Amino acid sequence: MSDTPIPDLPRRDFIRELVADDVATGRFGRPPATRFPPEPNGFLHMGHAKSICLNFGIAREFGGTCNLRFDDTNPFTEEMQYVEAIKRDVEWLGFKWDGEFYASDYFEQLYDIAELLVKKGKAYVDDQTEEEIRTNRGTVTSPGTPSPFRNRSTDENLDLLRRMKAGEFADGACVLRAKIDMAHPNMIMRDPLLLRIRRGAHHYRRGTSWHIFPLYDFAHGLSDAIEGITRSLCTLEFKDNRDIYDWLVEHAGFTDPPRQIEFARLELDYTVLSKRKLLRLVNEGHVSGWDDPRMPTIAGLRRRGVRPEAIRDFAEVIGVARKDARVEIASFEHAVRNDLNMEVPRVLCVLKPLKVVLTNYPEGRVEMLEAQNYPHDVPKTGTRQIPFSRELYIDRDDFMEVPAKKFFRLSPGSEVRLRFGYIIKCEELVKDAAGNVVELRCTYDAETKSGGANSDKKVKGTIHWVSAAQALSCEVRLYDRLFSIPDPDDVPEGQDFISALNPDSLVVIPEAKVEPTVGQDPVGTRYQFERAGYFMSDVEDSRPGKLVFNRIVGLRDSWAKEVKKG
Ligand code: ATP
Ligand code: MG
């Protein structure tokens, strides 16, 4: 309409460029209308999150609308529990849909369009089997063979279509096909299937009353058109479907048709982003459920402790491209760490407890030390009091009997600072019959606490600790990559992605020791356990007196370090 560009429209990727042009030129004569169209046959995953952030993000940024449409045209795989999970996940990600729609509510409208196409001579009922139809479709280099039923009269087609709908025919007896071109260079255009019979199949919303189900191509574009969508965003594998999309909306009589744009699907290393594969992991018991914290599902990430902000930031960072590319999991972990770093308080938790006895500390005495909650973030304040006493736990990894080079933590005769506390010196080891170190006997220097006479004494290492008597026992679940190779489908002939599962993706520490201050926090509280990573108490399995923590992400990329070590 106006030829002055609207300067502040976001144009940071090729899709937003197009939408900005639509707005600037008034192409659709209305604000951008997008939709997120999941099939309710599983839980949403990170790939869907990318699509959600894109579709809802565009609506938000351009003052348009975004519908949530359940693409529920397959009676065999869809369930109400998935609809509910999808709605919960979209909301949790921070988005509110304008309309909530179901393709299964359009079955009547789609049927009317089917009759219209038949009347226009643009569709016919074919009695060939789907197998015959496939073989007769030809190849990229040779045209297809027209069906012997292709030239049925309109009346005969209409009669058969009505009887298909009435449930007179068995599954597979016939199908409705578009009548386009059996020699079309795009194979999809060689008279694609529109409706097939699933007589008496139980659809989770329509029950058993509906007998003819639309195929993806028939339902998808027309649903977009019915809802007045302007830009229909989908992943690249649907590029070849764009011809049939356009053909159907045109022949169904929509004068202001939506336009499909394809973008790269998200593929993330060391995981699988496909509901079908994730369903197998659930059904075969490789994970505890759709919300297992190792799953790349929104529900799994939520349970693990990832915040929606991190997922949205990640979607922003990876952007939208026209070419498929795998994304390194490290870039997702970076987004998660980055989001939590400034947000969550620090606490001390010892994952692998090793007893330390301070031989010169009075027995029975407990003093409270002041600890900063946000030592990383000066504007945020807050301190807490943590108990200190003669018997402590430190982490086994902070002790080496024969220290490696540059090991600045505890070893016989060495000194180390206890976080928020004193400098201690390792004087003696206690071993069990097998020769394992089971206790360290140390001395502490009472003047090395903050404010003490020797408080500026320097030692090279600072380690975390908890007071043995007051620490709370907790279970800690450490998660690692679900698959041991970047592309889980890249397995030897005869095997599938299941064989690429990482056997160590979950390590349970049955008894770690955490400082007592966390005991009062509600489940689902997130922390950084200093020097150990980011954790959240598990919302399902934590009980009063028996906390369970999930590791959300480590402090840095431990894999990159291992690769470097070689
Ligand atoms: P799956 O193979 O996991 O079932 P799908 O594409 O069949 O994926 P749908 O429920 O049909 O899943 O998808 C809903 C929307 O999410 C579609 O618009 C689809 O393009 C998008 N989507 C699904 N997976 C990805 C992905 N990996 N990256 C980006 N978008 C995706
Ligand atoms: Mg699908």
Side-chain angles (χ1 to χ4, degrees):
M1 280 183 276
S2 132
D3 45 21
T4 43
I6 302 174
D8 53 353
L9 291 174
R11 290 177 176 270
R12 62 185 179 279
D13 54 58
F14 78 100
I15 294 182
R16 285 177 171 87
E17 279 283 354
L18 285 168
V19 175
D21 288 346
D22 294 345
V23 172
T25 61
R27 172 172 178 169
F28 290 96
R30 58 185 188 282
T34 58
R35 83 290 171 266
F36 172 63
E39 183 182 355
N41 60 352
F43 278 52
L44 299 181
H45 52 62
M46 291 285 291
H48 296 110
K50 173 178 177 174
S51 174
I52 291 167
C53 291
L54 180 63
N55 281 291
F56 285 92
I58 284 176
R60 196 176 274 179
E61 292 157 31
F62 290 90
T65 55
C66 181
N67 290 342
L68 176 61
R69 176 184 339 124
F70 292 96
D71 198 358
D72 55 351
T73 57
N74 182 344
F76 299 128
T77 52
E78 296 156 2
E79 292 177 29
M80 204 43 134
Q81 61 144 331
Y82 296 135
V83 168
E84 282 154 12
I86 288 168
K87 288 164 69 170
R88 186 165 64 234
D89 290 350
V90 173
E91 280 185 322
W92 180 79
L93 273 177
F95 298 104
K96 191 84 207 95
W97 46 92
D98 290 281
E100 175 180 329
F101 296 112
Y102 295 79
S104 57
D105 287 339
Y106 303 146
F107 284 170
E108 284 79 2
Q109 253 167 300
L110 293 173
Y111 175 78
D112 290 343
I113 291 169
E115 280 209 359
L116 177 74
L117 293 173
V118 164
K119 287 176 193 157
K120 285 179 157 185
K122 295 290 179 191
Y124 61 98
V125 173
D126 193 348
D127 296 355
Q128 293 182 107
T129 64
E130 287 195 32
E131 182 55 41
E132 284 166 335
I133 291 173
R134 241 190 318 277
T135 20
N136 289 337
R137 192 158 268 157
T139 66
V140 255
T141 49
S142 61
T145 312
S147 163
F149 305 98
R150 196 169 196 264
N151 292 317
R152 277 177 159 152
S153 70
T154 301
D155 286 346
E156 188 184 1
N157 277 321
L158 218 43
D159 173 61
L160 290 170
L161 177 60
R162 287 175 182 161
R163 288 163 64 193
M164 277 170 73
K165 177 172 183 259
E168 283 187 32
F169 305 126
D171 291 10
C174 50
V175 295
L176 185 76
R177 293 178 76 178
K179 191 170 180 179
I180 306 178
D181 179 358
M182 286 305 289
H184 201 286
N186 178 352
M187 300 276 291
I188 292 179
M189 295 296 275
R190 295 184 185 175
D191 293 8
L193 269 59
L194 303 179
L195 290 170
R196 63 155 69 102
I197 301 170
R198 293 284 180 254
R199 193 170 56 173
H202 187 269
H203 185 275
Y204 78 107
R205 290 183 81 242
R206 301 296 307 248
T208 50
S209 61
W210 196 260
H211 307 297
I212 45 174
F213 288 83
L215 279 93
Y216 170 86
D217 285 320
F218 189 45
H220 196 80
L222 293 172
S223 300
D224 285 343
I226 289 168
E227 289 172 24
I229 300 304
T230 57
R231 292 284 181 174
S232 174
L233 312 180
C234 68
T235 44
L236 284 170
E237 68 270 25
F238 293 101
K239 204 177 184 89
D240 287 345
N241 302 64
R242 202 196 311 158
D243 287 341
I244 183 65
Y245 185 107
D246 290 343
W247 188 94
L248 279 165
V249 291
E250 182 196 331
H251 287 94
F254 290 93
T255 49
D256 182 18
R259 289 292 172 208
Q260 174 175 307
I261 316 176
E262 307 87 16
F263 65 95
R265 58 186 296 123
L266 173 64
E267 294 291 350
L268 203 51
D269 279 352
Y270 297 101
T271 193
V272 289
L273 296 182
S274 143
K275 278 178 281 174
R276 191 176 48 80
K277 288 180 187 150
L278 296 172
L279 181 64
R280 269 193 64 195
L281 296 178
V282 173
N283 285 347
E284 295 174 16
H286 302 292
V287 295
S288 63
W290 285 101
D291 71 344
D292 185 302
R294 293 168 292 177
M295 291 279 271
T297 51
I298 309 289
L301 296 168
R302 175 171 58 229
R303 176 149 177 208
R304 181 153 166 172
V306 172
R307 302 196 322 149
E309 289 84 346
I311 298 175
R312 296 199 303 261
D313 290 349
F314 174 66
E316 198 59 49
V317 167
I318 57 172
V320 188
R322 285 178 221 254
K323 270 217 176 87
D324 280 325
R326 299 189 71 85
V327 175
E328 284 184 36
I329 195 124
S331 73
F332 177 59
E333 291 171 351
H334 177 81
V336 174
R337 238 178 250 127
N338 211 38
D339 170 58
L340 294 172
N341 181 30
M342 289 302 176
E343 274 308 309
V344 302
R346 273 50 176 168
V347 299
L348 303 185
C349 176
V350 172
L351 297 183
K352 294 185 222 160
L354 173 62
K355 176 74 82 62
V356 167
V357 178
L358 301 177
T359 53
N360 61 340
Y361 195 91
E363 267 185 76
R365 177 160 142 198
V366 179
E367 68 179 300
M368 300 305 285
L369 298 179
E370 183 166 49
Q372 291 160 277
N373 298 337
Y374 299 94
H376 56 295
D377 187 1
V378 179
K380 268 198 196 139
T381 52
T383 57
R384 63 195 189 280
Q385 302 289 316
I386 52 176
F388 184 86
S389 66
R390 181 182 161 92
E391 298 201 355
L392 313 171
Y393 291 113
I394 65 160
D395 200 289
R396 251 174 206 285
D397 289 344
D398 286 331
F399 170 77
M400 281 181 97
E401 188 171 0
V402 183
K405 228 176 136 199
K406 296 201 174 156
F407 184 80
F408 298 127
R409 292 166 268 169
L410 269 188
S411 54
S414 83
E415 285 185 304
V416 78
R417 180 176 286 282
L418 296 177
R419 180 72 162 148
F420 306 120
Y422 303 95
I423 291 176
I424 63 170
K425 181 173 183 185
C426 179
E427 309 278 1
E428 202 185 322
L429 315 182
V430 180
K431 296 186 178 181
D432 65 10
N436 304 307
V437 175
V438 291
E439 185 180 303
L440 305 180
R441 298 183 73 80
C442 301
T443 50
Y444 88 112
D445 179 345
E447 293 305 320
T448 51
K449 189 169 80 160
S450 153
N454 297 338
S455 64
D456 51 5
K457 179 172 171 183
K458 292 271 177 291
V459 286
K460 282 206 167 131
T462 299
I463 64 172
H464 61 288
W465 54 275
V466 292
S467 174
Q470 293 81 20
L472 306 175
S473 292
C474 56
E475 178 181 318
V476 176
R477 299 173 182 170
L478 303 177
Y479 302 105
D480 203 344
R481 304 172 172 190
L482 190 48
F483 291 90
S484 47
I485 51 175
D487 178 359
D489 288 319
D490 188 16
V491 288
E493 185 84 31
Q495 291 180 16
D496 71 1
F497 71 104
I498 297 290
S499 66
L501 278 165
N502 172 10
D504 302 317
S505 60
L506 169 62
V507 172
V508 177
I509 297 177
E511 197 170 351
K513 299 284 185 182
V514 66
E515 60 169 76
T517 58
V518 305
Q520 300 310 311
D521 295 335
V523 293
T525 303
R526 298 178 181 84
Y527 312 91
Q528 187 194 100
F529 291 171
E530 290 204 23
R531 303 180 62 230
Y534 294 97
F535 291 80
M536 184 171 88
S537 50
D538 189 85
V539 294
E540 301 292 333
D541 297 342
S542 292
R543 299 280 170 272
K546 172 72 201 301
L547 285 169
V548 176
F549 289 100
N550 296 318
R551 183 170 67 194
I552 308 168
V553 66
L555 289 180
R556 66 191 85 78
D557 186 356
S558 54
W559 282 53
K561 205 172 60 191
E562 271 168 43
V563 171
K564 247 184 261 147
K565 270 195 294 192

